[in-house]
């Protein structure tokens, strides 16, 4: 369980998160939605320590992740993140991009890393792109490599931060299809997205944010038929 309690985040004069409290059940898929600037991505980035809250706490199974560097490192080891931008190494092939952390962080041998990376790329439909460099891939394929890189680390939870915001409509469809299939196969995730139809289809719960506050936490089907907030 992830417990967020009275979380606040300031960027200079801007109060981006305002007393945000929520419990994320590990067995439930969440979609965080809201207008631009509502605090969605900041909340997500706080969950894995990319942003440090100004006040409040985040606990994972009763361990405060900001209490020590060890606590934060442990939390991050079980949590993957897929960003808006792909953040791939331009001088490495698709499979080398996925293998990199497996070798450097997990200390796998080259053969072990190759096997794990190839399985992850297969899951996102890129078995034919192992040896292509990022400049040879479409935007949708780059994002799928990014997803494969995250999957290869075997996280318990994946955070998706607007994974299709940099893509055109056709590529958006292919990436959303991949994520939908992964969720169907049991991937646990928290998504920040502006794709409402996708959120409705994939998420169990909708978290609606506005101006730094959570206004509603509602089962997906109910949110799109009988929302509490207006």
């Amino acid at each position: 369980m992830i417990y967020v309690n009275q979380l606040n985040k300031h960027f200079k004069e801007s109060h981006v998160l305002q007393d945000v409290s929520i419990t994320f059940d590990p067995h439930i898929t969440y979609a965080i939605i809201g207008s631009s600037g509502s605090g969605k991505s900041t909340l997500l980035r706080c969950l894995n320590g990319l942003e440090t809250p100004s006040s409040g706490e985040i606990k994972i199974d009763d361990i405060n992740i900001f209490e020590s560097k060890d606590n934060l490192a442990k939390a991050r080891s079980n949590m993957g993140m897929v960003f808006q931008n792909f953040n791939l190494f331009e001088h490495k092939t698709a499979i080398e991009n996925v293998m990199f952390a497996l070798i450097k962080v997990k200390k796998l041998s080259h053969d072990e890393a190759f096997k794990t990376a190839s399985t992850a790329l297969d899951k996102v439909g890129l078995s034919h792109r192992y040896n292509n460099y990022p400049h040879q891939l479409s935007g949708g394929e780059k994002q799928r490599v990014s997803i494969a890189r995250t999957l290869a680390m075997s996280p318990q939870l994946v955070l998706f931060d607007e994974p299709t915001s940099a893509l055109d409509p056709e590529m958006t469809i292919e990436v959303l299809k991949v994520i939908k299939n992964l969720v169907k196969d049991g991937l646990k995730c928290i998504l920040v997205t502006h794709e409402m139809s996708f959120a409705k289809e994939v998420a169990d719960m909708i978290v609606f944010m506005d101006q730094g506050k959570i206004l509603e936490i509602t089962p997906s089907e109910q949110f799109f038929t009988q929302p509490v907030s207006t």
Side-chain angles (χ1 to χ4, degrees), residues 162-181:
E162 296 275 18
T164 61
S165 65
L167 305 177
D168 64 30
E170 184 177 351
M171 294 176 187
T172 291
I173 291 170
E174 71 179 51
V175 170
L176 293 182
K177 182 179 179 181
V178 166
I179 297 172
K180 183 171 69 174
N181 288 337

Side-chain angles (χ1 to χ4, degrees), residues 41 44-45 81-84 159-163 165 190 192:
S41 292
L44 204 71
R45 291 171 65 84
M81 189 159 183
V82 177
F83 298 90
Q84 298 177 24
L159 310 177
F160 288 93
D161 184 12
E162 296 275 18
S165 65
I190 301 173
V192 166

Side-chain angles (χ1 to χ4, degrees), residues 71-85:
N71 286 0
L72 182 56
K74 183 178 179 181
R76 283 177 169 168
S77 69
N78 294 317
M79 195 182 300
M81 189 159 183
V82 177
F83 298 90
Q84 298 177 24
N85 298 316

